Amino acid sequence: MLSKPFGKFASVALVTMMSSAVVLSACSSDNNGAAGSSASPGASASAAPKKEKVDGGEITTAYLGDPQGFIRFWATTTTSTEVIDLVFSTLYKFNEKQEIVPDLAVDQPTFSEDKKTMTIKLRTDAKWSDGQPVTADDVVFTYSIPINNDYTGPRKSTFSRMEKIEKVDASTVKITFKEPHAGYIDMMIYNILPQHILKDVAIKDMDKSEFFKKPIGSGPYKLTEWKASQYLTFTRNDNYYGGKPAIEKVTAKIVPDANAMMAQLQTGEINVVSVPADNLAAIEQFAKTSGKIKLQKDIPSTSYSFVGWNLTNPLFQDKKVRQALTTAIDRKGLVDGVAEGMGKVVNSQTAPSYWTFTDNVPKFDYNEAKAKQMLAEAGWKDTDGDGVLDKDGKKFEFEMQVNQGNKVREKAVTVIQQQLKKVGINVIPRVVESSAFTKNFQKKDFVSIYYAWSISGDPNPHGIWHSSEIESGLNTVSYKNPEVDKLIDEDLSTFDKAKRKEILNKVDALIAEDQPYTFLYSPTVVMAYPSNLEGFNPQRDSLKEVQKWYFTK
Amino acid sequence: MALYTLRRLLNAIPILIGITIISFAIIHMAPGSPLSQFTEDPTIKQVDKDNMIKAYGLDKPLYVQYWDWVSGLVRGDLGVSLLKNQPVADLILERLPNTLLLTVTSFLLSLLIAIPLGILCAVRAHSRLDQIVSGFTFVGISIPGFWLGLMLIILFAVKLGWLPSGGLQTVNADFSLIDRIKHLTLPVLTMAAGEVAIWIRYVRSSMLEVINQDYMRTAKAKGLPGNSILFRHGFRNALIPLATLFGLALPGFFAGAAILEQVYSIPGMGRLFIEGAFQRDYPVLFAIVTVGAFLTVLGSILADVAYAALDPRVNLSKQEVRG
Amino acid sequence: MNVAVSPNNNTVARKPKNRAWERFKANRMAFISMFILIGLVLVAVLAPWIAPHDPAEQDLLNKLKPPSADHWFGTDDLGRDLLTRVMYGARVSLAVAIFSVIFNLLIGITVGSLAGYYGGKTDSILMRFVDIMLAFPQFFLLITVVTLLRPNLFNIIVVFVLFGWMGKSRLLRGQILSLKNREFVDAARTIGMSDFRIIFRHILPNAIAPVIISATLQMGSMILTESSLSFLGLGIQPPQASWGNLLQSAQSLTIMTKAPWVPFIPGFMIFLTIMCFNFIGDGLRNAFDSK
């Protein structure tokens, strides 16, 4: 235990090499990707009918870190969400287009005339894994938590427009809103908790309760063991109202190192996992030579990467300049060269899989000559012949921050730097430790920043683009467009989906025209499955819809 | 000596208090917070974050927070992890055995190899054997742990399939010694590889130094049998730098080996610290930094005690001012 | 220097410096190592003129290509010429290694000698200071410092110097504690030699061996750690190359199995450097040894 006579630095060294591993929370989005749906050659995406379905079998997947716990009001990481979905049911779930589909609920919710009350019908056949029925009381109990004053978790404002929830009858609940709330779907995906077990636990202690780590749910699987930082095991819930799942056991190992994870995929210690870009070539070869696994490519994600331009900086105040910057960046080349093809170029702020997505927005495709010309029109010329553009005696030179621990992003920044160099712009990349990085982002302490959003649920983009979010929200590039503000506000009180799509498409077009970000690409996911596994949805990553999976003989 | 040790331990108390104050301030001053993970979710608003900061008690002035923490510490309460919702003491007790298993085993293993080899190299300095062993030690020193770890996984787990690639035990299996040994083989080997190289360098050099000491030559000239001189005189003196190194290494046994714990998926102290560091899990960090500081000081005291025990000429209890 | 300290000391009285140089030259390994190291330093200094390519120039269509006539060491994961990057990387890595180690040795030796030789209060104060430095939560200080300083090579060396010397001073002090009461030191003292001379001429040469080893080992870990600090935003920033970041960027199964030369070449350079320094260290120690 003598870490090369340099004890303390060693620990720093370790730290930084740990790459994405540790930063569970932060933006794993580059490994989760977007759009396109073609199945990879050779991988039969959905069941070939001739194969015989097997009852049973085991799935072993891996996560970089532990989930936080089993109540979504407190547990926010992607890993937590996934394991919660195994054990619990929710009123609704998001489908791959981020629309809600009923789970415990029956049909879509119905609204009163003034849109202030919402009624939801519940299934009557759902049971907790201890045999008790799931009732309207459980739903009322659950939804009373985040509106209680004792609740101090991160989801208070998600429920801030909700006034109360009442039981109408044993299978109906009614939610009353303070004001009409078109974004209600964000509230629908919280796991329903068993009142008969939790009724005596104080709300402020719930995230420290035994239940948080040893849950009883009504979902397709039951948690059988959680060895902290080693693995979680789940067995199927024979009484699941959606039908007994075919896969008997699901194990989620905690493997904090992405390379070790890929090694375990090859040894068979895990058999379902998403493959990161830098290891894709090695795993593709393994799939080909061993025949043990198959790869499902191009699974869309709801995230996108971007370079944010701080609009308070004089360099980026001219729209023309921002458009030129985007024009100078070869985004397709970035996807192919750095993300190994795992991504789809985006032009505005909606990920391609979203139901509100539109391709009908202004585009600034890669064109080096045109970018130069646009910059010249904006007054940026290389007057002193040093290869760097200047204007009013000031050089076009700025810093670009990127968070430490994400190799794809670190590489992407150097690629962007090289591309912008060709049009005479000098980018100074700067890698920043993750927690400090998010602070810089939040505090607008950057000139330009490489980051990614992973967005799910309601498509209203108020939190990122509305000018009221500049001060303490996430509109940290300080984007302000009155027209966009107006449309976002209008969308907030629009319940008609077709109308919303129309409004939001206008927002997308306006933002694409303004280019407050250079929208880069929406990553796509590659999943590795056992070769004889069928029934998975080729549009969805990780363990989503695992209750429909089955092995074949 | 006992008196001296006691005095040193008492002296350590103000130093430890000083270190905890500095650490507390530095860790809090560092940019970022336990809530920075929420920055990527636009549905979590500043109000929510403010609520949580209040719930965590992070809105109080720093000296109040420090006082709360110290009074907890005195009662034996290390606080609750902000991110794992679990008492810090439990977390450490859960992780420490795994880390000790790794660090102590590989330490013992590396000494077992390094001491005889190091002595041999010193006795036959500049021989072919010495050159080969030295060559290997330099390779061992130049290879980063993460790289060696991955290579061993590729070789022994992926290609040969002899050993598991990570974890502490087979999932769902009951504890078995064989299973545990299999899982620990690669991590211990990886860790020991680096350590063996380092220890051989030190042992060889210390022995060489001692062999060249005058009294050794005198003893040899007197015709005392070789081995007995080596052990009676030589090795004791050679142990002095090793005692220093052991003192320096002491906190490491506790802190673990984050890289290897990461590569081999071992839930140990190193990973606990790293995760805590990146997510600014303050209670976890303070606990580890404090225990680490205590062990640093303890290591320094133990080394001094060892000097006196090894070499009667070292007298630390005497307040001597020379020259 | 030829005080009758050791009975075996029968060297002819010549100018000490010349004699040391001759002894050093006589040590073949040390001598060869010195030449290799000078060669490496030359390559580093001349990199901008002798490197075959631009170190930052990418060719995304020619990633991870094996060594060829155009790219002697192949290309990395962004299609950059590895030979060029290793040459430029030498500038950073050697600068970090050499300067940090020299200053670490200076501080470590000074503190260690003072504490060990004078003992008592001096020793207590210095060693408690060492304890505090060792227990310091450096990671957090670093990320705080990063927000205040511009990232560059100089800062990284400063950080290494600030936090890298403590082990050496402890090692040296331990050695001196056991040496200072030996006959030859007493002898020197009785003939009225100054403390400075006693420490330098008689104690240090006998006590320095583990410190030199510590320094060579540290050199390796600093070359690697440099890249980690860069990732925290402290040192050099991408796309600048260093041996450490060349090695670290090779951390993927794809590169390790399909392009093993990518980690091997920087790894070998680190190995070579550490070995050279070790032999030079040995050579120097022997050259100045009074026995």
Side-chain angles (χ1 to χ4, degrees), chain C residues 241-274:
Chain C
S242 75
W243 293 346
N245 70 29
L246 289 177
L247 198 55
Q248 287 212 351
S249 66
Q251 266 187 91
S252 93
L253 290 190
T254 303
I255 295 179
M256 287 169 83
T257 53
K258 292 183 172 241
W261 59 88
V262 177
F264 177 79
I265 292 167
F268 180 77
M269 300 311 284
I270 295 173
F271 165 76
L272 197 64
T273 309
I274 295 177

mmCIF file of all heavy atoms in Angstrom, chain C residues 241-274:
data_model
loop_
_atom_site.group_PDB
_atom_site.id
_atom_site.type_symbol
_atom_site.label_atom_id
_atom_site.label_comp_id
_atom_site.label_asym_id
_atom_site.label_seq_id
_atom_site.Cartn_x
_atom_site.Cartn_y
_atom_site.Cartn_z
ATOM 1 N N ALA C 241 0.147 17.815 -25.939
ATOM 2 C CA ALA C 241 0.444 16.426 -25.591
ATOM 3 C C ALA C 241 1.411 16.355 -24.421
ATOM 4 O O ALA C 241 2.238 17.234 -24.232
ATOM 5 C CB ALA C 241 1.057 15.720 -26.789
ATOM 6 N N SER C 242 1.284 15.294 -23.635
ATOM 7 C CA SER C 242 2.313 14.931 -22.668
ATOM 8 C C SER C 242 2.316 13.403 -22.631
ATOM 9 O O SER C 242 1.338 12.777 -23.023
ATOM 10 C CB SER C 242 2.003 15.508 -21.294
ATOM 11 O OG SER C 242 0.962 14.779 -20.671
ATOM 12 N N TRP C 243 3.417 12.828 -22.159
ATOM 13 C CA TRP C 243 3.445 11.356 -22.127
ATOM 14 C C TRP C 243 2.321 10.815 -21.270
ATOM 15 O O TRP C 243 1.709 9.800 -21.572
ATOM 16 C CB TRP C 243 4.790 10.879 -21.593
ATOM 17 C CG TRP C 243 5.923 11.188 -22.508
ATOM 18 C CD1 TRP C 243 5.830 11.577 -23.812
ATOM 19 C CD2 TRP C 243 7.309 11.155 -22.192
ATOM 20 N NE1 TRP C 243 7.069 11.782 -24.319
ATOM 21 C CE2 TRP C 243 8.002 11.530 -23.349
ATOM 22 C CE3 TRP C 243 8.037 10.844 -21.043
ATOM 23 C CZ2 TRP C 243 9.390 11.596 -23.397
ATOM 24 C CZ3 TRP C 243 9.417 10.906 -21.079
ATOM 25 C CH2 TRP C 243 10.089 11.282 -22.247
ATOM 26 N N GLY C 244 2.047 11.528 -20.186
ATOM 27 C CA GLY C 244 0.976 11.088 -19.297
ATOM 28 C C GLY C 244 -0.367 11.056 -19.999
ATOM 29 O O GLY C 244 -1.078 10.061 -19.952
ATOM 30 N N ASN C 245 -0.715 12.128 -20.696
ATOM 31 C CA ASN C 245 -2.050 12.106 -21.306
ATOM 32 C C ASN C 245 -2.103 11.211 -22.541
ATOM 33 O O ASN C 245 -3.151 10.685 -22.877
ATOM 34 C CB ASN C 245 -2.626 13.518 -21.521
ATOM 35 C CG ASN C 245 -1.943 14.334 -22.585
ATOM 36 O OD1 ASN C 245 -1.397 13.795 -23.549
ATOM 37 N ND2 ASN C 245 -1.962 15.650 -22.431
ATOM 38 N N LEU C 246 -0.952 10.996 -23.185
ATOM 39 C CA LEU C 246 -0.948 10.018 -24.283
ATOM 40 C C LEU C 246 -1.296 8.634 -23.737
ATOM 41 O O LEU C 246 -2.071 7.881 -24.321
ATOM 42 C CB LEU C 246 0.431 9.965 -24.947
ATOM 43 C CG LEU C 246 0.819 11.181 -25.787
ATOM 44 C CD1 LEU C 246 2.229 11.033 -26.316
ATOM 45 C CD2 LEU C 246 -0.156 11.336 -26.936
ATOM 46 N N LEU C 247 -0.707 8.321 -22.592
ATOM 47 C CA LEU C 247 -0.935 7.008 -21.991
ATOM 48 C C LEU C 247 -2.371 6.891 -21.496
ATOM 49 O O LEU C 247 -3.036 5.877 -21.696
ATOM 50 C CB LEU C 247 0.044 6.846 -20.832
ATOM 51 C CG LEU C 247 0.320 5.455 -20.313
ATOM 52 C CD1 LEU C 247 0.771 4.562 -21.438
ATOM 53 C CD2 LEU C 247 1.396 5.510 -19.246
ATOM 54 N N GLN C 248 -2.856 7.952 -20.875
ATOM 55 C CA GLN C 248 -4.199 7.872 -20.311
ATOM 56 C C GLN C 248 -5.284 7.833 -21.370
ATOM 57 O O GLN C 248 -6.309 7.193 -21.181
ATOM 58 C CB GLN C 248 -4.444 9.072 -19.399
ATOM 59 C CG GLN C 248 -3.676 8.941 -18.119
ATOM 60 C CD GLN C 248 -4.388 9.581 -16.954
ATOM 61 O OE1 GLN C 248 -5.383 10.263 -17.133
ATOM 62 N NE2 GLN C 248 -3.888 9.343 -15.769
ATOM 63 N N SER C 249 -5.023 8.504 -22.491
ATOM 64 C CA SER C 249 -6.072 8.495 -23.502
ATOM 65 C C SER C 249 -6.167 7.130 -24.174
ATOM 66 O O SER C 249 -7.080 6.870 -24.928
ATOM 67 C CB SER C 249 -5.804 9.580 -24.543
ATOM 68 O OG SER C 249 -4.630 9.250 -25.246
ATOM 69 N N ALA C 250 -5.209 6.263 -23.859
ATOM 70 C CA ALA C 250 -5.247 4.933 -24.449
ATOM 71 C C ALA C 250 -6.038 3.954 -23.598
ATOM 72 O O ALA C 250 -5.998 2.753 -23.816
ATOM 73 C CB ALA C 250 -3.824 4.410 -24.641
ATOM 74 N N GLN C 251 -6.763 4.472 -22.605
ATOM 75 C CA GLN C 251 -7.508 3.600 -21.707
ATOM 76 C C GLN C 251 -8.804 3.109 -22.306
ATOM 77 O O GLN C 251 -9.871 3.477 -21.854
ATOM 78 C CB GLN C 251 -7.896 4.388 -20.472
ATOM 79 C CG GLN C 251 -6.952 4.277 -19.327
ATOM 80 C CD GLN C 251 -7.544 4.970 -18.136
ATOM 81 O OE1 GLN C 251 -8.233 4.363 -17.350
ATOM 82 N NE2 GLN C 251 -7.314 6.256 -18.000
ATOM 83 N N SER C 252 -8.754 2.289 -23.319
ATOM 84 C CA SER C 252 -9.993 1.669 -23.773
ATOM 85 C C SER C 252 -9.639 0.327 -24.360
ATOM 86 O O SER C 252 -8.539 0.126 -24.857
ATOM 87 C CB SER C 252 -10.703 2.556 -24.794
ATOM 88 O OG SER C 252 -10.324 2.206 -26.103
ATOM 89 N N LEU C 253 -10.561 -0.595 -24.258
ATOM 90 C CA LEU C 253 -10.288 -1.945 -24.757
ATOM 91 C C LEU C 253 -9.941 -1.904 -26.228
ATOM 92 O O LEU C 253 -9.078 -2.634 -26.695
ATOM 93 C CB LEU C 253 -11.507 -2.836 -24.556
ATOM 94 C CG LEU C 253 -11.853 -3.233 -23.132
ATOM 95 C CD1 LEU C 253 -12.919 -4.300 -23.162
ATOM 96 C CD2 LEU C 253 -10.634 -3.725 -22.395
ATOM 97 N N THR C 254 -10.629 -1.033 -26.970
ATOM 98 C CA THR C 254 -10.368 -0.969 -28.396
ATOM 99 C C THR C 254 -8.908 -0.620 -28.658
ATOM 100 O O THR C 254 -8.229 -1.293 -29.445
ATOM 101 C CB THR C 254 -11.275 0.098 -29.057
ATOM 102 O OG1 THR C 254 -12.622 -0.232 -28.763
ATOM 103 C CG2 THR C 254 -11.073 0.138 -30.548
ATOM 104 N N ILE C 255 -8.424 0.414 -27.983
ATOM 105 C CA ILE C 255 -7.042 0.818 -28.231
ATOM 106 C C ILE C 255 -6.074 -0.225 -27.691
ATOM 107 O O ILE C 255 -5.099 -0.593 -28.346
ATOM 108 C CB ILE C 255 -6.774 2.202 -27.594
ATOM 109 C CG1 ILE C 255 -7.638 3.249 -28.295
ATOM 110 C CG2 ILE C 255 -5.309 2.561 -27.695
ATOM 111 C CD1 ILE C 255 -7.485 4.634 -27.744
ATOM 112 N N MET C 256 -6.348 -0.740 -26.499
ATOM 113 C CA MET C 256 -5.396 -1.669 -25.907
ATOM 114 C C MET C 256 -5.266 -2.962 -26.689
ATOM 115 O O MET C 256 -4.214 -3.571 -26.737
ATOM 116 C CB MET C 256 -5.760 -1.951 -24.452
ATOM 117 C CG MET C 256 -5.438 -0.750 -23.580
ATOM 118 S SD MET C 256 -6.108 -0.873 -21.945
ATOM 119 C CE MET C 256 -4.883 -1.857 -21.166
ATOM 120 N N THR C 257 -6.365 -3.394 -27.295
ATOM 121 C CA THR C 257 -6.267 -4.650 -28.031
ATOM 122 C C THR C 257 -5.969 -4.438 -29.507
ATOM 123 O O THR C 257 -5.325 -5.264 -30.128
ATOM 124 C CB THR C 257 -7.568 -5.486 -27.888
ATOM 125 O OG1 THR C 257 -8.666 -4.645 -28.251
ATOM 126 C CG2 THR C 257 -7.758 -5.958 -26.473
ATOM 127 N N LYS C 258 -6.427 -3.319 -30.071
ATOM 128 C CA LYS C 258 -6.251 -3.146 -31.513
ATOM 129 C C LYS C 258 -5.109 -2.225 -31.878
ATOM 130 O O LYS C 258 -4.639 -2.251 -33.016
ATOM 131 C CB LYS C 258 -7.548 -2.600 -32.128
ATOM 132 C CG LYS C 258 -8.651 -3.610 -32.060
ATOM 133 C CD LYS C 258 -9.895 -3.083 -32.741
ATOM 134 C CE LYS C 258 -10.896 -4.178 -32.831
ATOM 135 N NZ LYS C 258 -11.342 -4.611 -34.053
ATOM 136 N N ALA C 259 -4.723 -1.365 -30.958
ATOM 137 C CA ALA C 259 -3.635 -0.439 -31.270
ATOM 138 C C ALA C 259 -2.678 -0.354 -30.082
ATOM 139 O O ALA C 259 -2.489 0.708 -29.504
ATOM 140 C CB ALA C 259 -4.201 0.948 -31.618
ATOM 141 N N PRO C 260 -2.084 -1.477 -29.705
ATOM 142 C CA PRO C 260 -1.275 -1.504 -28.472
ATOM 143 C C PRO C 260 -0.090 -0.551 -28.506
ATOM 144 O O PRO C 260 0.448 -0.203 -27.468
ATOM 145 C CB PRO C 260 -0.818 -2.958 -28.372
ATOM 146 C CG PRO C 260 -1.000 -3.540 -29.725
ATOM 147 C CD PRO C 260 -2.120 -2.794 -30.362
ATOM 148 N N TRP C 261 0.333 -0.126 -29.723
ATOM 149 C CA TRP C 261 1.477 0.792 -29.768
ATOM 150 C C TRP C 261 1.144 2.158 -29.170
ATOM 151 O O TRP C 261 2.019 2.871 -28.730
ATOM 152 C CB TRP C 261 1.980 0.942 -31.206
ATOM 153 C CG TRP C 261 0.921 1.475 -32.141
ATOM 154 C CD1 TRP C 261 0.649 2.785 -32.394
ATOM 155 C CD2 TRP C 261 -0.013 0.719 -32.897
ATOM 156 N NE1 TRP C 261 -0.400 2.897 -33.266
ATOM 157 C CE2 TRP C 261 -0.826 1.642 -33.595
ATOM 158 C CE3 TRP C 261 -0.251 -0.655 -33.063
ATOM 159 C CZ2 TRP C 261 -1.859 1.243 -34.438
ATOM 160 C CZ3 TRP C 261 -1.269 -1.046 -33.903
ATOM 161 C CH2 TRP C 261 -2.069 -0.110 -34.574
ATOM 162 N N VAL C 262 -0.130 2.493 -29.153
ATOM 163 C CA VAL C 262 -0.502 3.813 -28.640
ATOM 164 C C VAL C 262 -0.123 3.969 -27.158
ATOM 165 O O VAL C 262 0.492 4.957 -26.787
ATOM 166 C CB VAL C 262 -1.990 4.116 -28.893
ATOM 167 C CG1 VAL C 262 -2.380 5.444 -28.287
ATOM 168 C CG2 VAL C 262 -2.273 4.111 -30.386
ATOM 169 N N PRO C 263 -0.474 3.002 -26.283
ATOM 170 C CA PRO C 263 0.017 3.144 -24.915
ATOM 171 C C PRO C 263 1.486 2.728 -24.763
ATOM 172 O O PRO C 263 2.175 3.241 -23.891
ATOM 173 C CB PRO C 263 -0.876 2.198 -24.101
ATOM 174 C CG PRO C 263 -1.389 1.207 -25.075
ATOM 175 C CD PRO C 263 -1.480 1.921 -26.399
ATOM 176 N N PHE C 264 1.951 1.826 -25.615
ATOM 177 C CA PHE C 264 3.294 1.286 -25.396
ATOM 178 C C PHE C 264 4.379 2.348 -25.554
ATOM 179 O O PHE C 264 5.304 2.423 -24.747
ATOM 180 C CB PHE C 264 3.570 0.122 -26.362
ATOM 181 C CG PHE C 264 4.963 -0.421 -26.231
ATOM 182 C CD1 PHE C 264 5.288 -1.283 -25.190
ATOM 183 C CD2 PHE C 264 5.960 -0.053 -27.129
ATOM 184 C CE1 PHE C 264 6.568 -1.765 -25.048
ATOM 185 C CE2 PHE C 264 7.253 -0.518 -26.991
ATOM 186 C CZ PHE C 264 7.561 -1.389 -25.956
ATOM 187 N N ILE C 265 4.248 3.187 -26.583
ATOM 188 C CA ILE C 265 5.339 4.119 -26.863
ATOM 189 C C ILE C 265 5.529 5.151 -25.747
ATOM 190 O O ILE C 265 6.629 5.283 -25.222
ATOM 191 C CB ILE C 265 5.146 4.760 -28.255
ATOM 192 C CG1 ILE C 265 5.343 3.649 -29.301
ATOM 193 C CG2 ILE C 265 6.132 5.887 -28.482
ATOM 194 C CD1 ILE C 265 4.887 4.006 -30.685
ATOM 195 N N PRO C 266 4.468 5.851 -25.336
ATOM 196 C CA PRO C 266 4.704 6.774 -24.203
ATOM 197 C C PRO C 266 5.134 6.037 -22.944
ATOM 198 O O PRO C 266 5.964 6.542 -22.182
ATOM 199 C CB PRO C 266 3.358 7.471 -24.007
ATOM 200 C CG PRO C 266 2.366 6.684 -24.769
ATOM 201 C CD PRO C 266 3.106 5.985 -25.867
ATOM 202 N N GLY C 267 4.564 4.840 -22.734
ATOM 203 C CA GLY C 267 4.962 4.048 -21.566
ATOM 204 C C GLY C 267 6.447 3.750 -21.582
ATOM 205 O O GLY C 267 7.140 3.862 -20.570
ATOM 206 N N PHE C 268 6.951 3.399 -22.757
ATOM 207 C CA PHE C 268 8.369 3.088 -22.875
ATOM 208 C C PHE C 268 9.225 4.325 -22.615
ATOM 209 O O PHE C 268 10.278 4.237 -21.975
ATOM 210 C CB PHE C 268 8.668 2.518 -24.266
ATOM 211 C CG PHE C 268 10.115 2.167 -24.450
ATOM 212 C CD1 PHE C 268 10.633 1.014 -23.884
ATOM 213 C CD2 PHE C 268 10.961 3.000 -25.155
ATOM 214 C CE1 PHE C 268 11.969 0.698 -24.024
ATOM 215 C CE2 PHE C 268 12.305 2.701 -25.303
ATOM 216 C CZ PHE C 268 12.808 1.530 -24.744
ATOM 217 N N MET C 269 8.769 5.470 -23.079
ATOM 218 C CA MET C 269 9.531 6.693 -22.846
ATOM 219 C C MET C 269 9.623 6.992 -21.351
ATOM 220 O O MET C 269 10.670 7.406 -20.849
ATOM 221 C CB MET C 269 8.874 7.888 -23.551
ATOM 222 C CG MET C 269 8.747 7.774 -25.050
ATOM 223 S SD MET C 269 10.249 7.288 -25.869
ATOM 224 C CE MET C 269 11.138 8.827 -25.774
ATOM 225 N N ILE C 270 8.529 6.767 -20.645
ATOM 226 C CA ILE C 270 8.541 7.009 -19.199
ATOM 227 C C ILE C 270 9.533 6.047 -18.546
ATOM 228 O O ILE C 270 10.359 6.433 -17.714
ATOM 229 C CB ILE C 270 7.123 6.836 -18.609
ATOM 230 C CG1 ILE C 270 6.193 7.897 -19.172
ATOM 231 C CG2 ILE C 270 7.168 6.917 -17.087
ATOM 232 C CD1 ILE C 270 4.736 7.728 -18.784
ATOM 233 N N PHE C 271 9.473 4.795 -18.952
ATOM 234 C CA PHE C 271 10.378 3.768 -18.441
ATOM 235 C C PHE C 271 11.834 4.190 -18.655
ATOM 236 O O PHE C 271 12.658 4.151 -17.746
ATOM 237 C CB PHE C 271 10.064 2.455 -19.163
ATOM 238 C CG PHE C 271 11.096 1.391 -19.019
ATOM 239 C CD1 PHE C 271 11.214 0.668 -17.841
ATOM 240 C CD2 PHE C 271 11.942 1.089 -20.072
ATOM 241 C CE1 PHE C 271 12.161 -0.331 -17.717
ATOM 242 C CE2 PHE C 271 12.898 0.098 -19.957
ATOM 243 C CZ PHE C 271 13.011 -0.620 -18.781
ATOM 244 N N LEU C 272 12.109 4.615 -19.865
ATOM 245 C CA LEU C 272 13.479 5.000 -20.212
ATOM 246 C C LEU C 272 13.946 6.161 -19.341
ATOM 247 O O LEU C 272 15.060 6.160 -18.807
ATOM 248 C CB LEU C 272 13.495 5.418 -21.691
ATOM 249 C CG LEU C 272 14.838 5.480 -22.385
ATOM 250 C CD1 LEU C 272 15.458 4.084 -22.432
ATOM 251 C CD2 LEU C 272 14.676 6.020 -23.802
ATOM 252 N N THR C 273 13.077 7.135 -19.177
ATOM 253 C CA THR C 273 13.449 8.311 -18.394
ATOM 254 C C THR C 273 13.727 7.941 -16.933
ATOM 255 O O THR C 273 14.739 8.342 -16.363
ATOM 256 C CB THR C 273 12.314 9.353 -18.443
ATOM 257 O OG1 THR C 273 11.964 9.556 -19.803
ATOM 258 C CG2 THR C 273 12.739 10.647 -17.815
ATOM 259 N N ILE C 274 12.817 7.170 -16.368
ATOM 260 C CA ILE C 274 12.998 6.792 -14.961
ATOM 261 C C ILE C 274 14.309 6.028 -14.790
ATOM 262 O O ILE C 274 15.082 6.257 -13.860
ATOM 263 C CB ILE C 274 11.835 5.910 -14.491
ATOM 264 C CG1 ILE C 274 10.550 6.697 -14.519
ATOM 265 C CG2 ILE C 274 12.087 5.397 -13.096
ATOM 266 C CD1 ILE C 274 9.348 5.869 -14.135
#
